[in-house]
C-alpha cells in the first residue's frame, strides 16, 4: 500500500526532472534519464513558482502533483538524490518537498548537502516520512535544515496550505529583489545626474542648502500655524461646552416656571396662555440648540462617550414615530413607517440612533411641502449592514448643496427663510453615525425631494 494515500490507481510511468508538465507551466525540453548534461537547458522564467518534489516512489510523486496541481506551481520531479542535486544546479526553487527514506543517499544526507551549498542554502525543505515518528528523528530532520516535517499519509489541505506560505514568501522576496534592483538603478541614475549638475553649477549645493533652509522655515511656520489653529479649535470647543452648561441652568429654570404657569388653571384662549406657549416653544428650541452645541463640542474634543449595545430597530422606529407625529400633523405631512417587527438588531447607542433619526425626520417635516409625505424604509444595503432611509417630497437639493450639507453651521443660504435652524443638526448626525461605525449620506433630485440615509452594522 502506498504510504501517501491508500488505494491509489495503477502507477504512472516515472518521467523524472523536467517532465512534470501536469502543472500547466511551460515544459522543460529534457529529463534526467539517459540524457547528457549538454542537453540540459534552463527553464524559461515565467510567473510559475518552481517546487522540487523528491521521492523514490513514482506513485508518491504523482500523488504530490495531484495535490498541488493547478495552483500556479511548476512541479519538478526527482526520484533520487542525484537527480535532485542536478535540478538544484539547473534551476532556482522556492521549496523542496523531500522524502527522508530513499535508497543510496537519504533525505537527511541530501538536506545537509543542499544547506552546505551557498546557492541552495536558503531553499526551504519540507520532510515527508512514513517511518520516523520519534522525537529524535524529528530533531535530526530539523537539524539538517528542514523548516517543516509532515508524516505520511499527507493531509492534502495541510500540505497545500504550507506550500502556499512558502510560495508566497518566495514570490514576495522575488518582487522585493526586483524592486531593490529598480531602486538601486534609480539611485545610481540620480547620483549621475547630481554629479553632472554639480559640474555645471558649482554653487548648486549652496543653492540647495538655502532652498532647504527656506523650506524648513516655511514648514516650521506651517506647523506653528497648525498648532495655533488646533489650540483655537480646542478653545472654541471648551467655550462651547462651558457656555452650553452655563446656559442650560437658567434655561431649565425658565422652562420649569413656564411649565408651572402653563399648568395653572388658565383658559386656553387667553393671551397669557398663548404667551406662555410661545415661551415654552422658544425655550425647548433653545435647549435643543444648546444640547447640540454641547454634543458637537464633546465630539470635537473627543470626550463624547457612547453606550454601544445590541438594540432593536423596531423599538427605535416606534418611539421616533410617536415623537414626530404631532409635528407632522401640524404641518399636514403624512408619515409612512415600516412594519412593526423589523428583523434587524444592530450594535449602537440607542439614544444616539434616536437622535439621528429624529433629526432627519424633523428636517423632512420642516422642509416638506404642504400635504407632502415622508416614507421611512429599512433594508439590508450590503452584507452585514442595514440602511435606514428617510424620503421626503420637498423641494430637493442641487449637487452643490448636497456637497455642503454636513458642514457645521451651513444652512445652504436659507438663513433668511421662514424655517428655523442652526446648521448643526446634520453635522452632528454625521459625526454620531461615524462614531458608531456607520455611514450617512443623501440623494436628491431638485423638485422631487431628498432621501437621507444612514447605515449601521447588523449584529451577527
Amino acid at each position: 500500500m502506498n504510504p501517501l494515500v491508500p488505494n491509489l490507481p495503477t502507477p504512472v510511468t516515472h518521467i523524472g526532472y523536467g517532465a512534470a508538465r501536469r502543472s500547466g507551466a511551460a515544459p522543460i525540453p529534457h529529463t534526467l534519464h539517459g540524457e547528457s548534461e549538454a542537453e540540459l537547458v534552463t527553464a524559461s522564467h515565467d510567473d510559475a513558482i518552481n517546487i522540487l518534489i523528491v521521492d523514490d516512489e513514482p506513485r508518491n510523486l504523482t500523488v504530490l502533483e495531484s495535490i498541488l496541481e493547478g495552483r500556479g506551481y511548476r512541479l519538478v520531479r526527482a526520484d533520487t538524490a542525484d537527480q535532485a542535486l542536478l535540478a538544484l544546479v539547473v534551476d532556482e526553487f522556492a521549496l523542496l518537498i523531500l522524502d527522508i527514506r530513499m535508497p543510496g543517499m537519504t533525505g537527511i544526507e541530501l538536506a545537509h548537502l543542499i544547506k552546505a551549498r551557498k546557492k541552495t542554502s536558503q531553499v526551504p525543505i519540507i520532510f515527508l516520512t512514513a517511518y520516523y515518528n520519534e522525537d529524535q528523528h524529528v530533531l535530526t530532520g530539523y537539524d539538517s535544515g528542514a523548516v517543516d516535517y509532515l508524516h505520511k499519509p499527507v493531509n492534502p489541505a495541510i500540505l497545500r496550505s504550507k506550500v502556499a506560505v512558502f510560495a508566497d514568501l518566495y514570490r514576495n522576496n522575488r518582487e522585493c529583489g526586483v524592486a531593490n534592483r529598480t531602486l538601486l538603478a534609480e539611485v545610481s541614475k540620480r547620483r549621475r545626474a547630481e554629479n553632472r549638475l554639480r559640474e555645471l553649477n558649482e554653487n548648486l549645493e549652496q543653492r540647495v542648502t538655502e532652498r532647504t533652509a527656506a523650506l524648513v522655515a516655511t514648514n516650521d511656520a506651517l506647523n506653528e500655524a497648525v498648532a495655533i489653529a488646533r489650540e483655537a479649535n480646542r478653545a472654541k470647543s471648551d467655550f462651547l461646552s462651558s457656555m452650553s452648561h452655563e446656559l442650560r441652568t437658567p434655561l431649565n429654570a425658565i422652562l420649569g416656571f413656564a411649565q408651572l404657569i402653563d399648568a395653572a388653571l388658565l383658559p386656553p384662549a387667553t393671551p397669557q396662555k398663548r404667551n406662555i406657549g410661545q415661551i415654552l416653544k422658544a425655550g425647548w428650541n433653545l435647549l435643543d440648540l444648546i444640547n447640540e452645541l454641547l454634543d458637537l463640542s464633546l465630539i470635537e474634543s473627543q470626550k463624547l462617550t457612547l453606550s454601544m449595545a445590541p438594540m432593536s430597530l423596531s423599538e427605535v422606529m416606534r418611539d421616533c414615530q410617536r415623537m414626530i407625529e404631532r409635528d407632522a400633523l401640524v404641518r399636514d405631512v403624512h408619515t409612512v413607517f415600516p412594519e412593526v417587527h423589523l428583523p434587524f438588531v444592530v450594535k449602537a447607542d440607542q439614544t444616539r440612533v434616536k437622535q439621528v433619526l429624529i433629526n432627519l425626520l424633523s428636517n423632512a417635516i420642516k422642509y416638506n411641502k404642504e400635504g407632502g409625505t415622508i416614507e421611512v424604509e429599512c433594508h439590508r444595503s450590503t452584507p452585514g449592514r442595514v440602511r435606514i432611509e428617510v424620503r421626503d417630497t420637498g423641494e430637493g437639493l442641487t449637487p452643490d448643496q448636497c456637497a455642503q450639507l454636513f458642514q457645521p453651521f451651513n444652512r445652504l443660504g436659507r438663513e433668511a427663510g421662514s424655517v428655523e435652524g442652526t446648521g448643526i443638526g446634520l453635522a452632528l448626525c454625521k459625526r454620531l453615525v461615524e462614531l458608531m461605525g456607520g455611514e450617512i449620506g443623501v440623494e436628491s433630485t431638485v423638485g422631487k425631494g431628498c432621501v437621507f440615509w444612514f447605515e449601521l452594522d447588523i449584529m451577527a
Side-chain angles (χ1 to χ4, degrees):
M1 180 177 293
N2 188 282
L4 270 180
V5 62
N7 302 325
L8 196 68
T10 304
V12 299
T13 303
H14 180 66
I15 56 178
Y17 171 66
R21 300 178 174 87
R22 293 161 54 91
S23 64
I28 302 177
H30 63 275
T31 69
L32 297 182
H33 290 276
E35 296 160 340
S36 66
E37 291 190 16
E39 294 174 315
L40 296 176
V41 294
T42 302
S44 61
H45 295 287
D46 53 24
D47 291 335
I49 300 296
N50 288 342
I51 297 176
L52 180 59
I53 52 178
V54 185
D55 197 307
D56 62 313
E57 174 56 59
R59 298 177 67 190
N60 289 345
L61 294 173
T62 301
V63 170
L64 291 174
E65 287 180 334
S66 66
I67 293 174
L68 299 175
E69 66 179 349
R71 296 178 176 270
Y73 306 141
R74 177 178 173 272
L75 302 175
V76 178
R77 301 166 56 134
D79 56 13
T80 67
D82 291 339
Q83 291 181 22
L85 289 172
L86 183 55
L88 290 165
V89 170
V90 174
D91 266 324
E92 181 178 315
F93 291 89
L95 178 65
L96 171 59
I97 302 176
L98 176 58
D99 182 34
I100 290 183
R101 189 182 179 92
M102 293 192 302
M105 184 185 300
T106 67
I108 300 291
E109 295 169 337
L110 176 58
H112 281 295
L113 287 177
I114 292 172
K115 293 300 178 179
R117 295 180 65 241
K118 182 177 180 180
K119 177 183 177 183
T120 58
S121 62
Q122 300 301 317
V123 176
I125 299 174
I126 295 179
F127 275 137
L128 299 179
T129 180
Y131 304 97
Y132 300 128
N133 295 316
E134 294 83 359
D135 290 343
Q136 185 58 44
H137 291 138
V138 174
L139 291 175
T140 302
Y142 285 125
D143 288 342
S144 66
V147 296
D148 214 332
Y149 203 101
L150 298 179
H151 296 287
K152 302 177 183 177
V154 174
N155 184 307
I158 293 177
L159 179 60
R160 282 193 290 265
S161 177
K162 291 181 180 293
V163 170
V165 169
F166 291 107
D168 288 341
L169 179 62
Y170 176 81
R171 187 179 292 108
N172 292 337
N173 288 339
R174 185 169 61 184
E175 292 173 355
C176 287
V178 173
N180 286 338
R181 288 192 293 272
T182 303
L183 180 59
L184 289 174
E186 179 65 21
V187 170
S188 177
K189 180 180 178 181
R190 291 190 178 189
R191 285 178 178 172
R192 290 195 298 270
E194 289 172 358
N195 291 334
R196 179 58 179 164
L197 288 173
R198 277 195 294 269
E199 292 174 2
L200 295 174
N201 189 351
E202 294 180 355
N203 297 325
L204 176 61
E205 186 176 348
Q206 180 62 30
R207 291 167 59 186
V208 170
T209 301
E210 293 172 355
R211 179 60 176 164
T212 300
L215 289 174
V216 170
T218 302
N219 190 54
D220 290 342
L222 287 174
N223 288 336
E224 183 178 358
V226 169
I228 293 173
R230 287 176 178 169
E231 185 62 30
N233 190 57
R234 280 195 297 270
K236 179 205 70 176
S237 297
D238 292 341
F239 170 74
L240 289 176
S241 178
S242 176
M243 182 192 70
S244 300
H245 282 293
E246 294 297 328
L247 288 177
R248 282 205 298 187
T249 301
L251 182 58
N252 286 333
I254 293 172
L255 287 172
F257 284 114
Q259 286 177 308
L260 288 175
I261 297 172
D262 186 55
L265 299 178
L266 293 175
T270 61
Q272 292 87 344
K273 189 77 170 179
R274 289 194 295 269
N275 293 338
I276 292 171
Q278 291 296 323
I279 292 173
L280 287 171
K281 179 181 178 183
W284 290 122
N285 288 339
L286 182 56
L287 184 60
D288 289 341
L289 171 59
I290 291 172
N291 289 334
E292 288 180 347
L293 283 171
L294 182 58
D295 285 342
L296 191 60
S297 65
L298 289 174
I299 291 173
E300 290 184 348
S301 60
Q302 298 181 349
K303 296 179 181 178
L304 184 69
T305 302
L306 296 178
S307 300
M308 301 292 286
M311 51 159 283
S312 169
L313 282 181
S314 294
E315 296 179 9
V316 171
M317 290 289 180
R318 287 196 299 270
D319 291 344
C320 292
Q321 184 176 10
R322 287 192 293 266
M323 294 171 69
I324 60 97
E325 277 180 344
R326 183 176 177 279
D327 287 343
L329 185 62
V330 169
R331 293 179 178 269
D332 191 24
V333 174
H334 178 63
T335 59
V336 179
F337 277 76
E339 60 185 26
V340 176
H341 299 292
L342 292 172
F344 303 115
V345 175
V346 299
K347 186 174 183 180
D349 186 316
Q350 182 166 327
T351 300
R352 298 302 180 178
V353 173
K354 285 184 182 179
Q355 184 177 352
V356 171
L357 187 53
I358 287 295
N359 197 302
L360 297 182
L361 289 168
S362 297
N363 283 347
I365 293 172
K366 287 193 296 185
Y367 295 104
N368 215 323
K369 64 184 179 180
E370 186 176 353
T373 301
I374 297 174
E375 294 184 27
V376 181
E377 297 181 2
C378 187
H379 59 84
R380 287 182 183 269
S381 56
T382 57
R385 277 205 162 183
V386 61
R387 172 176 288 200
I388 299 96
E389 295 181 350
V390 178
R391 185 186 308 272
D392 65 55
T393 55
E395 296 179 359
L397 299 169
T398 65
D400 289 341
Q401 289 176 319
C402 289
Q404 306 173 51
L405 197 59
F406 295 98
Q407 298 174 1
F409 308 105
N410 189 342
R411 294 203 61 207
L412 307 180
R414 296 180 177 179
E415 294 82 358
S418 59
V419 180
E420 298 177 351
T422 61
I424 300 176
L426 288 178
L428 182 58
C429 287
K430 177 177 175 62
R431 284 162 172 76
L432 288 174
V433 170
E434 291 174 350
L435 283 175
M436 291 185 288
E439 185 180 357
I440 191 170
V442 62
E443 300 167 5
S444 182
T445 303
V446 176
K448 294 186 178 181
C450 298
V451 180
F452 283 86
W453 57 266
F454 65 98
E455 295 180 351
L456 296 172
D457 292 331
I458 301 174
M459 289 290 291

